[in-house]
Amino acid sequence: MTDEEFRKPEGDDGAATRIARTDGLDLGALTEGRGTIDTRVVVRVLRAADVANMLPRGLQLAPQPLVGPDRHPVFVSFGHNRFSAWFGEMDYHELMIGIPWVEYEEERMAMRGPFIYMPRLYLDARVPQILGERIFGYEKLAGVFAQEDDTWRIHDADGDALVSGEFASDGDARPPEGWANFAWVRKLLEMPTISQSLRRFDRHARTLGDDRQRFVASNVRYLLSGMDWDGQPVAPTIEPLRATMTFGDGASLPPGLPADALVSGSLADGVLGAFRMRAQQVVSPPGPTADARYPPGGGRKLRVCVLGGGPAACAAAYYLARQRHEYGVSLYTMGWRLGGKCAAGRNPDAHDRIEEHGLHAFLGFYRNAIRTVAEVYGDAGRQVTAADGPIAGAFRSQADVGVLDRHAGRWSYFPTPLGTNDRVPGRIPPGGEEAPADMAVALHGLIRRIGFEIGSAADEDGDAQGPLSRVFELVSAPWRAAIAELDHWLDREGDIALERFVETPVAASRTKRWMISVLKQVRTGLDWYYEDRVETSRRAWFHWGGLDTLLTIAIGVLVESTLDFDDLDDRDMIAWLLEHGLSPEHADISTITQVYETLFAHAPDLPYRVADLACGVGLRWFLLVSFGYDGYPAYDFRWSCPETLMTPYYEALVAHGALIHFFHRTVGIEIEGEGDDRHLARVRMQIQASVAGTGPYVPFLPGVEAAGAPPVWPMVPNFDQLVEGEMLRARGVDLEDAYADWPGVGERVLQWGDDFDICIVGISLGALPPVIAPLVDPASPHFDARWRDLVDHTGLIQTASVQLWFDRGADTMFDDTPAAVEGTGRRGLLTGFVQPQASLGQLSALIDVERWPDPPPALVTYHTGSLLAGVKLPVPSAQTRDFPASERARWRELFAQWLRENHRGLFDAGPADFEALLAALRVPQGSAAAVGLERLWAQSFCVACQPSDLYVLSRPGETRHRMAPSGSGIRFMLLAGDWTKTDMNCGCVEAATQSGMLAARALSNEPRYVWRVGY
Ligand SMILES: Cc1cc2nc3c(=O)[nH]c(=O)nc-3n(C[C@H](O)[C@H](O)[C@H](O)COP(=O)(O)OP(=O)(O)OC[C@H]3O[C@@H](n4cnc5c(N)ncnc54)[C@H](O)[C@@H]3O)c2cc1C
């Protein structure tokens, strides 16, 4: 049969003729096709490398939760379909080879996946073949199907064998929820499918580029939920099968399929077994992939246990709990509060003052975190002012952001030159979801900023005929032309054009070579201009340092030709900048070191100095902080971090029916099975205390919160709600202390299949090694080198913080006059000062929610920094019980010495005399008689001495050891934490939230959109 013959209309109603002429087709006129499917499905696990070979350019295998990373599931479906669609009726057989969990290679791609990709589809009828090819873009091939009951033989049009299958029933045909194992296969079947598409139907083709073959999604939706499209009951059934399947030698089959007969167990035996599915199905017209997701169908709720109660665990739990008809969520955390490193409590002996782990704030680019907070607030029934976006009420906009830096032996404050913009924080602008080019947008902002900075340097100089003007004469014409050209592109094609431009190899683009040379000329010219001025002018020195940084980043990124900054993560950021021509004297300017300070990146030995930050992580952070924020550059919390963030999480989780179990410390997981069958079998927990009575433990401190404010978390458990409360109180046991002498009150074992279907491990990295011992202990049969590498090669650091309350106001402590401030600005959030307390937050607004007697303190400052990187805490043992206390004492002494030496640089309008500074500290009434250092000891000190509190670093070469939230390699185990592989790869609430969202999405396809990862 020739191709022409094959395409001949079938004659029923001329449908094929009409379909064949789809060029002028009105897509809007297409409607869904509906019908029934009766199919035998065999899931096979093949080598990931072989499966990857079946993918076309642009697609790759996505992490999947079913088998280890070296393998990947593929399914083969032997189907009999009947359809009624806009063009008439169809009745045909179909052989489908499907690869689930496939995604676009481009990380920044909107609508990235995961999808089912079908490398081959064979049919025995012309109409669906042509329809599939013309409308959906599938390459559908002709097949000859011989089916006799449970025996199928399929050949291609040349008579070569494609596949044969023999099936035998292995159980009843039951509703889908009657077979527990089907819950997993169901996830697999419910992904959208994508095909190599006819580009004319892809409304995103314009932004995706003409030079590449693109993909478009269609929904093949199986109605497994017991209701059809009109709400009428249907009776889908799943019947386990045993199957033997053999691939033939048909030339059209993809390479990499096994030649031997594959004998497959049935779904009754395991989640990857064969089955027969009879259901109704809907095929919707093709659409951009954005439209192609749909919620999973009904059926039995999956039981999800979440371990840990930090921002990552809470985000994962929240996104699943709100799909309450699909998931039953139970969260288990040690201790008495949510928050992890964001936790805090109120000190009842000090007027209910807030005592935190350290200074916390949100940056204006935290789109996932802020958007999640907004949704959490809504679900918790907390008012947010719609007009001002989610931030109103809960967060305080921070425009007073800056750095301290030392020039010629003197400290100066440099406020950020960043202004505000009218974008609403956390709200993804319409169409913004489709913009994969955030880094390009930020880079564009940076290039514009360079132009602006050079312009303002000229103005400041006030010397139209001076040397700067001559520099401009040299360089400004090509520079302006470059900017104009860029603008022209961006106007025409959006920032995607810049992205493509950046990624073009230097050797292939004359424009790029020219632009790099212009940027280098500008840098040389400015270097020459500033050379003499920096000695005498602090402002000129700082300005030039900043400009040198911006120019070098622009040059470096253009030269490296990548906006995928993970590619740069094996190098240190400062080393990379020096390599691209940064003046060595700028290597420690706070424009750059602020990135290190905010990510706690320090050398492992004294003297304290910034070091070891993965370049890609640092550059991304710098660009997003500086040019990627919405509204204000930063936000701080109206009622402290845990009350603003974690209380509403608790309320929303409870509102969605999630069960929160405090006082559950996970002590270990157990793995069973081998190879692809390796799975999480049990989770062992120590019950730290038992809750008295029948009700759940209520974690808040009653009556302390201000009117309308979220309830507050106590410093210690609410002992009166615990059976062992009095004993714990009397013995002073801290249930967050790994060194405490407290054996707990019992054990709880969660068993897979009985107690949970999937577990999300949201425990912090520092606390994880003993929990995952079977994976990291070389003597264990389940030892996994990937896990060992993650644990051994992800740096952790001990943070240290202090909160100081003063009776003097900010105006008498900080010299904010133009003489002292290089620019104009007050001190709100700043960094760049002397380690180990480089960062300061002036958070005096929080005094209003504390309960000081009149008059309250006038100022509270939060100081944060890190002690030495690479710290290994002692392993908890009977000998180390006093370790936390001795660490705190050590930290107090260290801080006192630091304050004595440095207070004049920091509090530049405060008392010059150290004793006078101590006298200005506000102490609780109980310590009113304290003098000298006693007043300092009455402030709040926190040093990370618990494994769980260690901060996760992003050191060069370590990103590659991170695992994706769905990439644990262990079935039934997802991950959430700032230590996982995300788009940020660093320790911050944005990364933690993103990780939790990705974990939830791996399971449920929700939330559909995760910022900068895409769909
Ligand atoms: C001093 C300091 C300042 C910071 N400042 C900022 C900032 O300004 N902005 C910002 O965005 N980020 C900041 N961070 C980082 C931010 O706090 C973390 O990135 C974030 O908390 C990580 O969230 P997580 O859920 O991954 O882990 P964590 O917050 O560490 O939470 C882990 C959870 O696991 C629980 N857990 C531990 N062991 C067990 C166990 N065995 N069994 C059961 N549960 C267990 C803990 O109790 C906790 O609930 C700061 C961190 C520190 C230390």
Side-chain angles (χ1 to χ4, degrees):
M1 183 159 52
T2 65
D3 197 41
E4 204 37 50
E5 268 176 310
F6 193 79
R7 280 163 195 262
K8 263 190 200 158
E10 242 169 3
D12 51 353
D13 59 357
T17 316
R18 282 189 281 128
I19 295 161
R21 289 197 215 107
T22 47
D23 278 358
L25 196 71
D26 172 11
L27 264 186
L30 299 185
T31 53
E32 287 181 337
R34 295 165 173 189
T36 57
I37 181 167
D38 178 358
T39 186
R40 278 94 169 152
V41 179
V42 183
V43 184
R44 295 304 307 178
V45 177
L46 305 181
R47 283 190 339 131
D50 288 337
V51 183
N53 268 340
M54 298 181 207
L55 300 180
R57 211 174 118 225
L59 292 182
Q60 65 183 15
L61 299 181
Q64 42 75 34
L66 292 186
V67 292
D70 301 340
R71 321 262 283 157
H72 200 90
V74 168
F75 66 91
V76 183
S77 143
F78 301 74
H80 181 192
N81 298 308
R82 289 200 180 90
F83 265 114
S84 159
W86 53 279
F87 50 81
E89 304 291 324
M90 292 188 296
D91 184 337
Y92 61 96
H93 292 89
E94 181 180 62
L95 173 75
M96 183 207 292
I97 301 176
I99 308 175
W101 284 289
V102 162
E103 65 185 9
Y104 285 105
E105 276 174 3
E106 290 174 38
E107 278 195 17
R108 295 172 307 279
M109 175 76 199
M111 306 160 291
R112 191 179 176 210
F115 306 108
I116 297 173
Y117 176 72
M118 296 176 200
R120 295 295 185 275
L121 277 166
Y122 300 88
L123 298 101
D124 64 354
R126 297 171 198 179
V127 171
Q129 187 196 1
I130 297 171
L131 181 76
E133 192 179 300
R134 284 299 174 104
I135 308 287
F136 293 93
Y138 289 112
E139 190 194 358
K140 294 199 171 185
L141 302 164
V144 179
F145 286 66
Q147 184 200 351
E148 234 174 79
D149 299 328
D150 276 338
T151 303
W152 292 57
R153 302 208 187 290
I154 304 157
H155 294 82
D156 64 17
D158 296 329
D160 292 333
L162 293 172
V163 184
S164 63
E166 297 201 1
F167 306 98
S169 175
D170 190 38
D172 322 328
R174 297 184 192 165
E177 38 301 345
W179 294 106
N181 287 335
F182 186 68
W184 293 96
V185 189
R186 180 179 192 142
K187 297 285 159 209
L188 179 160
L189 293 174
E190 282 174 340
M191 277 170 222
T193 59
I194 51 171
S195 63
Q196 277 166 306
S197 76
L198 300 178
R199 196 176 302 122
R200 63 178 173 274
F201 294 129
D202 184 355
R203 69 180 158 89
H204 295 283
R206 192 183 62 79
T207 50
L208 296 178
D210 288 328
D211 53 335
R212 298 190 223 173
Q213 185 76 28
R214 283 294 169 179
F215 309 90
V216 69
S218 67
N219 293 353
V220 184
R221 207 170 339 151
Y222 304 110
L223 294 179
L224 299 167
S225 57
M227 290 290 175
D228 77 359
W229 39 83
D230 296 322
Q232 298 302 313
V234 294
T237 59
I238 301 297
E239 177 186 345
L241 297 177
R242 273 174 281 114
T244 306
M245 181 173 71
T246 314
F247 288 104
D249 52 4
S252 65
L253 281 171
L257 294 172
D260 301 337
L262 299 170
V263 180
S264 181
S266 84
L267 192 74
D269 302 329
V271 292
L272 298 181
F275 60 94
R276 178 175 181 178
M277 175 172 86
R278 278 170 281 199
Q280 305 209 26
Q281 63 174 332
V282 183
V283 176
S284 50
T289 43
D291 303 337
R293 284 192 181 273
Y294 39 82
R300 177 173 80 75
K301 277 192 189 185
L302 279 191
R303 293 156 302 182
V304 182
C305 77
V306 178
L307 309 180
C314 287
Y318 166 71
Y319 279 103
L320 291 172
R322 69 183 199 171
Q323 303 172 63
R324 55 191 304 171
H325 300 297
E326 298 288 332
Y327 303 97
V329 174
S330 302
L331 182 146
Y332 299 85
T333 188
M334 67 174 184
W336 64 96
R337 53 189 177 176
L338 296 182
K341 291 187 263 287
C342 295
R346 295 299 193 101
N347 186 342
D349 300 328
H351 314 292
D352 292 317
R353 72 184 185 192
I354 298 159
E355 298 193 0
E356 296 209 30
H357 277 75
L359 170 63
H360 273 85
F362 269 20
L363 294 169
F365 73 81
Y366 281 14
R367 295 204 173 83
N368 292 309
I370 296 174
R371 163 192 152 191
T372 303
V373 171
E375 297 189 16
V376 164
Y377 268 59
D379 291 0
R382 300 212 150 265
Q383 289 295 317
V384 288
T385 317
D388 296 331
I391 296 303
F395 290 79
R396 294 187 325 131
S397 307
Q398 256 301 358
D400 299 330
V401 181
V403 291
L404 281 167
D405 213 330
R406 184 158 35 187
H407 180 249
R410 183 181 147 192
W411 286 96
S412 298
Y413 178 62
F414 298 91
T416 174
L418 308 170
T420 59
N421 58 52
D422 56 10
R423 289 193 299 267
V424 177
R427 185 181 299 165
I428 295 151
E433 294 187 346
E434 295 164 19
D438 282 291
M439 277 299 114
V441 175
L443 188 68
H444 183 200
L446 175 139
I447 291 170
R448 287 225 164 116
R449 185 87 212 169
I450 293 169
F452 173 80
E453 290 286 333
I454 294 173
S456 57
D459 289 342
E460 245 172 52
D461 198 66
D463 174 14
Q465 303 308 312
L468 190 57
S469 312
R470 283 203 292 282
V471 175
F472 279 158
E473 274 165 31
L474 270 176
V475 299
S476 63
W479 174 253
R480 271 200 299 272
I483 290 283
E485 189 157 331
L486 259 183
D487 275 352
H488 182 61
W489 275 339
L490 298 172
D491 286 351
R492 203 181 55 217
E493 298 197 52
D495 287 308
I496 196 100
L498 179 58
E499 185 176 65
R500 231 182 284 148
F501 176 69
V502 170
E503 291 182 344
T504 306
V506 177
S509 166
R510 195 182 319 157
T511 314
K512 197 170 182 188
R513 291 197 295 278
W514 168 72
M515 189 164 308
I516 291 169
S517 102
V518 169
L519 290 167
K520 286 186 173 169
Q521 280 177 49
V522 172
R523 189 170 60 183
T524 310
L526 290 172
D527 190 16
W528 171 73
Y529 166 70
Y530 277 112
E531 200 179 1
D532 298 334
R533 296 165 189 245
V534 295
E535 293 301 320
T536 50
S537 161
R538 277 177 298 162
R539 184 177 299 197
W541 165 78
F542 192 72
H543 205 203
W544 168 221
L547 265 173
D548 191 15
T549 308
L550 297 185
L551 282 158
T552 305
I553 291 176
I555 292 166
V557 170
L558 289 175
V559 168
E560 302 266 354
S561 301
T562 184
L563 283 170
D564 182 354
F565 288 165
D566 287 358
D567 293 348
L568 310 178
D569 273 348
D570 282 354
R571 288 181 268 171
D572 170 66
M573 182 179 165
I574 291 177
W576 182 88
L577 287 167
L578 290 170
E579 204 178 298
H580 285 288
L582 183 85
S583 297
E585 62 266 29
H586 294 151
D588 60 357
I589 201 146
S590 57
T591 316
I592 300 169
T593 59
Q594 57 158 327
V595 181
Y596 283 69
E597 301 289 13
T598 44
L599 297 173
F600 295 97
H602 286 96
D605 48 12
L606 291 170
Y608 291 111
R609 63 194 186 283
V610 298
D612 299 335
L613 178 62
C615 179
V617 171
L619 284 182
R620 186 187 299 115
W621 186 267
F622 179 90
L623 288 176
L624 290 173
V625 168
S626 311
F627 306 104
Y629 59 89
D630 292 340
Y632 286 75
Y635 298 91
D636 59 54
F637 305 96
R638 165 119 172 248
W639 308 288
S640 81
C641 175
E643 287 160 30
T644 307
L645 193 61
M646 304 316 299
T647 300
Y649 255 131
Y650 175 87
E651 294 170 331
L653 284 169
V654 170
H656 284 305
L659 302 175
I660 300 181
H661 303 275
F662 293 100
F663 311 111
H664 280 71
R665 180 194 287 274
T666 305
V667 292
I669 57 167
E670 289 178 20
I671 310 287
E672 282 182 0
E674 281 174 24
D676 295 336
D677 192 39
R678 212 167 45 143
H679 60 271
L680 181 63
R682 272 168 296 280
V683 177
R684 293 194 176 277
M685 299 177 183
Q686 179 202 66
I687 302 177
Q688 298 178 293
S690 28
V691 180
T694 50
Y697 174 80
V698 180
F700 301 117
L701 206 54
V704 173
E705 74 269 21
V712 312
W713 304 86
M715 292 273 288
V716 291
N718 288 327
F719 290 120
D720 53 347
Q721 295 182 43
L722 301 178
V723 174
E724 305 80 14
E726 268 321 304
M727 198 195 313
L728 288 165
R729 191 203 312 262
R731 286 172 56 175
V733 176
D734 175 353
L735 295 178
E736 287 176 350
D737 180 4
Y739 308 90
D741 182 12
W742 180 253
V745 298
E747 193 195 30
R748 182 158 189 177
V749 180
L750 301 184
Q751 177 85 33
W752 180 80
D754 294 338
D755 304 302
F756 70 93
D757 298 297
I758 190 124
C759 172
I760 300 182
V761 178
I763 292 172
S764 45
L765 187 63
L768 209 50
V771 172
I772 54 163
L775 294 169
V776 293
D777 175 359
S780 152
H782 302 292
F783 171 73
D784 185 331
R786 285 170 68 238
W787 275 96
R788 197 244 348 251
D789 286 348
L790 169 82
V791 165
D792 285 358
H793 300 296
T794 307
L796 298 169
I797 196 165
Q798 202 179 8
T799 54
S801 306
V802 175
Q803 289 163 233
L804 303 177
W805 286 261
F806 291 97
D807 280 324
R808 298 167 63 118
D811 52 338
T812 64
M813 294 293 278
F814 301 117
D815 184 355
D816 286 336
T817 62
V821 175
E822 299 302 322
T824 49
R826 293 175 310 119
R827 279 163 246 208
L829 298 173
L830 65 84
T831 190
F833 195 54
V834 185
Q835 271 294 356
Q837 295 291 266
S839 304
L840 174 139
Q842 198 260 102
L843 302 181
S844 302
L846 292 179
I847 293 170
D848 291 347
V849 301
E850 299 174 344
R851 305 209 301 172
W852 294 89
D854 270 344
L859 169 71
V860 59
T861 53
Y862 283 52
H863 306 256
T864 286
S866 38
L867 296 178
L868 297 181
V871 63
K872 288 262 181 284
L873 297 185
V875 177
S877 72
Q879 288 73 47
T880 55
R881 297 252 149 84
D882 64 350
F883 174 69
S886 65
E887 255 331 71
R888 271 192 293 273
R890 181 174 81 92
W891 168 229
R892 269 183 6 174
E893 295 297 334
L894 204 61
F895 179 79
Q897 189 186 337
W898 174 90
L899 190 65
R900 187 189 297 276
E901 287 168 7
N902 297 297
H903 71 96
R904 297 195 60 183
L906 190 62
F907 300 115
D908 49 0
D913 176 49
F914 185 56
E915 291 301 323
L917 180 81
L918 296 178
L921 287 168
R922 176 66 173 270
V923 294
Q925 264 177 339
S927 319
V931 291
L933 281 175
E934 292 296 326
R935 299 185 79 77
L936 186 58
W937 305 153
Q939 309 300 308
S940 171
F941 289 81
C942 183
V943 58
C945 41
Q946 299 298 332
S948 181
D949 290 341
L950 295 178
Y951 178 87
V952 179
L953 293 170
S954 310
R955 296 190 301 196
E958 295 189 341
T959 301
R960 73 173 93 110
H961 298 303
R962 288 174 174 247
M963 289 176 195
S966 57
S968 76
I970 310 293
R971 278 166 57 193
F972 318 134
M973 183 167 132
L974 294 166
L975 312 173
D978 60 356
W979 46 273
T980 62
K981 175 82 184 69
T982 61
D983 178 62
M984 305 295 304
N985 300 325
C986 60
C988 68
V989 177
E990 172 64 15
T993 310
Q994 192 187 104
S995 178
M997 293 166 92
L998 290 172
R1001 189 172 81 171
L1003 186 60
S1004 70
N1005 284 346
E1006 291 284 339
R1008 294 195 322 171
Y1009 180 75
V1010 180
W1011 176 60
R1012 277 188 51 79
V1013 177
Y1015 283 88

